[in-house]
Amino acid sequence: MGREFASVGVVGLGTMGAGIVEVFARNGVAVTAVEVTDAALHRGEGILRGSVDRAVRKGKLAEEDRDALLGRVTFAVGLDALHAADLVVEAVPEQLDLKQRIFAELDRVCKPEAILATNTSSLSVTEISVATGRPNQVIGMHFFNPAPVMKLVEVVRTVVTAEDVVTDIEALCGRLGKVDVTISDRAGFIANALLFGYLNQAVSMLESRYATREDIDAAMRLGCGLPMGPLALMDLIGLDTAYEILDTMYRRGGRDRRHAPVPLIKQMVTAGLLGRKSGRGFYTYEKPGSPVVVADEATPRSDAEAAAAARGVAKVGVIGSGTMATGIIEVFARAGLEVVSVTRGAEQSGRTCEALKTSLNKGVVRGKLTEAERDAALGRVTWSATIEHLADVDLVIEAVVEELSVKKALFASLDEICKPGVVLATTTSSLPVIELAMATERPADVVGLHFFNPAPVMGLVEVVRTIRTSEATVATATAVCRALAKHPVVCADRSGFVVNALLFPYLNDAVKMVEASYSTADDIDNAMKLGCGYPMGPFELLDVVGLDVSLAIQRELYLELREPGFAPAPLLEHLVTAGYLGRKVGRGFRDYSKR
């Protein structure tokens, strides 16, 4: 029989500690909540009461259940109050010496059979455990914020943690309604090791003025479906906390440069710009602790100001016959613009036309447009196999195969055919836009318009400016996106743009975790979905995108940026070589042939 854990202690009543207290008390466990001073204890009690009162107001907790929950909690100053606890969970700030002192004292105070757990998100559980005389009874229980809501708990075992301790903590997680992922003691564990490299890279983009804070955050929310953009998430976590986690991961994790905190983070921490809790971080907030963002000196100018320099666009040419080209045609036609579709021949035009009709008919069936709107959209499209029919359009978008030589030849032809002032756009997701621009005599008019698949559904478009793109061209491109009810984000011409440059290194890091046998694809997917709120785990996403596509993008990033951490994981290369390309072939990281 495993331990019952009738009594639990929690040390530290900040946001996380108070949340952990609530998790235990909600599930019928008596909790002793401990702080170092009366003032800190009072603040912690206020955090807990505020949380459960909000749950009552939202109808998620009955008043009598709230009262019963609070009745299970005993508040105390000093660790001596934990002498009878079966389990103690430490949730104090991420400082190794502080945690070691607390664990040494807990070892003295607690009964011999008690389990001691740390909620550290980045420090070595092993180094914490050796401060006690019972390292075999020390384990990591890494809850995620907000603890009462987030389902994941990373259970971190050291090389000496007893097997029955691991088993009993796993069972306890189930009793608490949590999903546990058991892993060994490594810097960042699963979620933070994958998350903070991505966050640090996003800060680097902002520091180099590659894109604005608003555009970086919008790109990842709209392009990847993430619940928050990376910079807003950093503000929520706290820049001081993020710095400590990154610094610890850098020192403990092999000194990977991508975990070396970007200098801007340290500068902001020094200046007291810690995020929401201080009222100012990457964004400015209504007041300290408030989630309400207010305008500041970095807030971008209004859409009306930006649109003043835009050229008018009434007629659009779309080149290509694939899924992306068809989706872009639909987007423009449904928005009321005249579209000329150019393919390589009548057969391709016919297939593209049928694909467009099928998509529009689905929209009618789903109630997203009327039959009259469908017919009007179809009536706005002219089908052609001749590029010369683009002579009078205002904007051309190419969506042909991702081969530089093919696209350069196409842009050279468009340069000869199109009238002056036409915006020439490429939908490339990885090739350098400047190469296409310099194939023309009008590089100022060339821009990237990277739509996301499926184009009629996805709300994001990356507007990619080269060092030769004019302000009028950028203004026209962004105005067109807004006319399509899309959200444009402007970035410079660099491999991966915003979304792929942040997304694919994270996916590559996940592959390296499996390759190193640190964890399984299932556990990593669960960690990122349940711990970070991602809509898909990295391996689910890799199989959907296609491992061959993912490898090609990762290679482009590595070749351009020359960052050793971006080198494609050998396991990814081996799977592609073996023909395991993901869902499209029935086998990738998972086998779909039997599903």
Side-chain angles (χ1 to χ4, degrees):
M1 291 290 292
R3 297 172 176 84
E4 288 298 317
F5 297 111
S7 173
V8 170
V10 176
V11 181
L13 299 180
T15 302
M16 180 57 76
I20 294 170
V21 170
E22 182 177 342
V23 168
F24 282 112
R26 271 181 180 259
N27 289 278
V29 181
V31 186
T32 302
V34 171
E35 262 292 0
V36 291
T37 65
D38 287 325
L41 191 70
H42 182 70
R43 282 196 301 271
E45 185 175 356
I47 294 170
L48 174 62
R49 289 185 179 276
S51 176
V52 294
D53 285 345
R54 279 194 301 274
V56 171
R57 288 196 299 272
K58 293 177 180 178
K60 295 182 177 181
L61 189 68
E63 289 190 14
E64 56 269 27
D65 291 334
R66 172 198 59 193
D67 296 340
L69 183 159
L70 292 172
R72 296 186 192 103
V73 183
T74 301
F75 294 93
V77 173
L79 299 179
D80 287 339
L82 303 174
H83 65 277
D86 301 313
L87 165 70
V88 177
V89 180
E90 163 274 310
V92 303
E94 288 285 271
Q95 299 167 19
L96 181 60
D97 58 343
L98 172 61
K99 291 180 187 283
Q100 287 176 326
R101 289 198 304 272
I102 287 172
F103 270 73
E105 184 65 12
L106 288 172
D107 188 39
R108 181 189 67 79
V109 168
C110 295
K111 57 190 181 183
E113 64 271 24
I115 294 175
L116 307 181
T118 173
N119 183 60
T120 183
S121 60
S122 59
L123 297 174
S124 167
V125 179
T126 305
E127 289 187 50
I128 294 169
S129 74
V130 296
T132 76
R134 58 178 98 181
N136 61 319
Q137 290 169 235
V138 176
I139 196 166
M141 283 188 79
H142 180 214
F143 290 80
F144 286 75
N145 193 31
V149 175
M150 302 302 282
K151 288 289 187 182
L152 181 71
V153 176
E154 289 179 321
V155 177
V156 186
R157 64 190 309 161
T158 73
V159 291
V160 297
T161 305
E163 193 60 42
D164 65 311
V165 170
V166 176
T167 301
D168 290 343
I169 293 298
E170 289 173 337
L172 175 62
C173 290
R175 176 182 169 188
L176 299 175
K178 302 296 186 183
V179 175
D180 64 277
V181 172
T182 301
I183 47 180
S184 58
D185 185 20
R186 195 177 90 169
F189 312 137
I190 293 176
N192 281 355
L194 294 179
L195 176 66
F196 275 85
Y198 149 73
L199 296 179
N200 201 40
Q201 192 181 351
V203 178
S204 179
M205 280 187 173
L206 181 69
E207 184 181 56
S208 65
R209 301 185 180 181
Y210 177 68
T212 67
R213 62 188 182 185
E214 287 84 1
D215 280 353
I216 292 169
D217 279 354
M220 300 313 291
R221 283 189 293 104
L222 299 175
C224 298
L226 303 186
M228 295 182 76
L231 302 175
L233 180 56
M234 288 278 279
D235 275 357
L236 177 62
I237 293 168
L239 271 70
D240 50 344
T241 301
Y243 179 85
E244 291 298 332
I245 291 172
L246 282 165
D247 187 54
T248 300
M249 287 173 57
Y250 175 72
R251 287 185 285 104
R252 286 189 61 212
R255 299 189 178 271
D256 185 336
R257 285 194 317 218
R258 290 175 309 128
H259 291 145
V262 171
L264 177 60
I265 302 175
K266 183 62 178 290
Q267 293 163 16
M268 292 178 72
V269 170
T270 303
L273 307 179
L274 307 182
R276 284 191 190 184
K277 59 188 173 187
S278 68
R280 181 80 183 264
F282 291 108
Y283 295 91
T284 300
Y285 298 88
E286 195 174 44
K287 60 183 179 180
S290 171
V292 180
V293 175
V294 297
D296 57 22
E297 66 278 3
T299 301
R301 58 182 179 168
S302 69
D303 292 349
E305 290 179 81
R311 305 171 196 149
V313 174
K315 190 174 184 179
V316 177
V318 179
I319 307 173
S321 56
T323 302
M324 183 57 74
T326 306
I328 293 170
I329 292 168
E330 179 178 343
V331 167
F332 278 99
R334 286 179 61 174
L337 282 81
E338 189 178 347
V339 182
V340 179
S341 168
V342 176
T343 67
R344 288 179 296 171
E347 185 178 344
Q348 285 89 344
S349 288
R351 283 201 300 266
T352 306
C353 181
E354 287 304 312
L356 176 61
K357 289 178 180 177
T358 299
S359 180
L360 291 171
N361 284 333
K362 285 181 182 176
V364 172
V365 170
R366 293 171 181 166
K368 295 187 176 180
L369 73 164
T370 65
E371 292 186 4
E373 289 170 334
R374 172 199 63 193
D375 296 341
L378 284 169
R380 295 186 189 106
V381 183
T382 302
W383 305 97
S384 173
T386 306
I387 195 172
E388 282 74 13
H389 286 161
L390 300 177
D392 64 341
V393 300
D394 305 308
L395 164 67
V396 179
I397 300 176
E398 69 78 14
V400 301
V401 65
E402 282 282 273
E403 290 184 15
L404 186 59
S405 59
V406 174
K407 290 182 185 284
K408 287 177 71 173
L410 177 58
F411 270 77
S413 297
L414 291 172
D415 188 33
E416 295 178 3
I417 292 165
C418 295
K419 64 187 181 184
V422 172
V423 173
L424 304 180
T426 172
T427 61
T428 184
S429 62
S430 58
L431 299 175
V433 179
I434 189 63
E435 293 266 9
L436 309 182
M438 297 312 293
T440 75
E441 297 297 325
R442 53 174 101 183
D445 294 332
V446 178
V447 71
L449 281 178
H450 180 215
F451 288 77
F452 287 74
N453 194 31
V457 175
M458 299 297 284
L460 178 71
V461 180
E462 289 177 319
V463 178
V464 185
R465 64 186 307 161
T466 76
I467 57 174
R468 296 289 297 271
T469 306
S470 70
E471 289 296 332
T473 299
V474 173
T476 303
T478 55
V480 165
C481 292
R482 294 190 182 99
L484 300 174
K486 302 294 185 186
H487 188 109
V489 299
V490 180
C491 62
D493 181 22
R494 198 176 76 182
S495 185
F497 311 138
V498 176
V499 173
N500 286 353
L502 292 178
L503 174 64
F504 281 89
Y506 147 76
L507 297 177
N508 196 48
D509 285 344
V511 178
K512 290 177 180 178
M513 274 190 179
V514 168
E515 188 175 58
S517 300
Y518 179 66
S519 189
T520 66
D522 288 342
D523 278 354
I524 294 170
D525 277 356
N526 278 335
M528 299 314 292
K529 288 190 293 184
L530 301 177
C532 299
Y534 282 22
M536 298 178 77
F539 296 99
E540 289 176 295
L541 184 54
L542 280 161
D543 279 353
V544 168
V545 171
L547 274 62
D548 51 341
V549 174
S550 302
L551 178 59
I553 293 172
Q554 192 62 40
R555 282 174 172 164
E556 289 290 337
L557 288 170
Y558 177 59
L559 285 172
E560 178 164 326
L561 302 176
R562 305 290 174 164
E563 169 58 59
F566 285 0
L571 176 58
L572 181 61
E573 295 183 316
H574 295 166
L575 289 168
V576 172
T577 301
Y580 294 166
L581 308 182
R583 282 183 179 268
K584 59 189 173 186
V585 299
R587 178 73 183 268
F589 282 97
R590 295 183 174 89
D591 188 347
Y592 301 92
S593 61
K594 299 175 183 177
R595 299 189 182 188

